[in-house]
């Protein structure tokens, strides 16, 4: 919702579907296109996604394209692995709210 008014009570809010699966040992997260909208809603969205307690991946694809590995949060679309927390961290920025995003983590 817009975070200010009570318009959400009239269903003036957007919804996003998330679906998670493990397929042949790989992890797949699908983030659906935003459904519905509200006044002042941005056309773009950004995500900082953490997969906890997992092993370092071989590679990661986002919507069919290989995501680059980074050593830190660079503000670009990238991923990194935190050895201390055993976490994969994905930074996805400026994604159109109208597109579905498929993330596949190959292990």
């Amino acid at each position: 919702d817009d975070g200010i008014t009570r318009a959400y009570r009239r269903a003036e809010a957007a919804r996003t579907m998330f679906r998670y699966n493990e397929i042949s040992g790989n992890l797949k997260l699908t983030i659906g296109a935003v459904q519905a909208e509200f006044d002042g809603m941005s056309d773009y969205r950004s995500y900082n996604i953490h997969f906890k307690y997992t092993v370092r991946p071989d590679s990661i694809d986002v919507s069919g394209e290989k995501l680059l590995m980074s050593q830190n949060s660079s503000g670009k679309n990238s991923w990194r692995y935190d050895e201390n927390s055993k976490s994969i961290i994905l930074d996805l920025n400026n994604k159109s709210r109208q597109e579905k995003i498929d993330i596949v983590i190959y292990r």
Side-chain angles (χ1 to χ4, degrees):
D1 63 55
D2 64 12
I4 300 168
T5 68
R6 293 179 185 227
Y8 65 89
R9 290 182 174 183
R10 296 184 305 276
E12 291 180 28
R15 291 169 297 287
T16 304
M17 181 276 307
F18 290 81
R19 180 179 299 138
Y20 174 80
N21 294 301
E22 282 193 36
I23 302 169
S24 301
N26 299 318
L27 311 177
K28 182 175 182 183
L29 176 67
T30 299
I31 303 171
V34 174
Q35 302 296 310
E37 61 184 57
F38 54 86
D39 286 339
M41 183 175 173
S42 173
D43 288 334
Y44 297 92
R45 54 200 173 150
S46 295
Y47 297 97
N48 180 261
I49 303 167
H50 294 238
F51 292 86
K52 295 185 170 257
Y53 312 112
T54 188
V55 297
R56 181 185 199 95
D58 294 327
S59 65
I60 299 175
D61 287 354
V62 174
S63 298
E65 294 185 22
K66 186 173 182 175
L67 189 63
L68 297 176
M69 183 179 169
S70 176
Q71 296 300 320
N72 55 34
S73 180
S74 63
K76 297 181 181 178
N77 293 324
S78 63
W79 69 272
R80 60 192 182 282
Y81 184 74
D82 183 324
E83 189 69 47
N84 293 328
S85 66
K86 305 289 186 214
S87 298
I88 300 167
I89 304 162
L90 282 76
D91 293 311
L92 303 176
N93 298 295
N94 298 316
K95 298 293 184 184
S96 169
R97 68 179 164 102
Q98 297 173 353
E99 75 179 75
K100 177 181 82 157
I101 301 168
D102 287 313
I103 301 164
V104 180
I105 298 173
Y106 297 98
R107 306 188 295 170

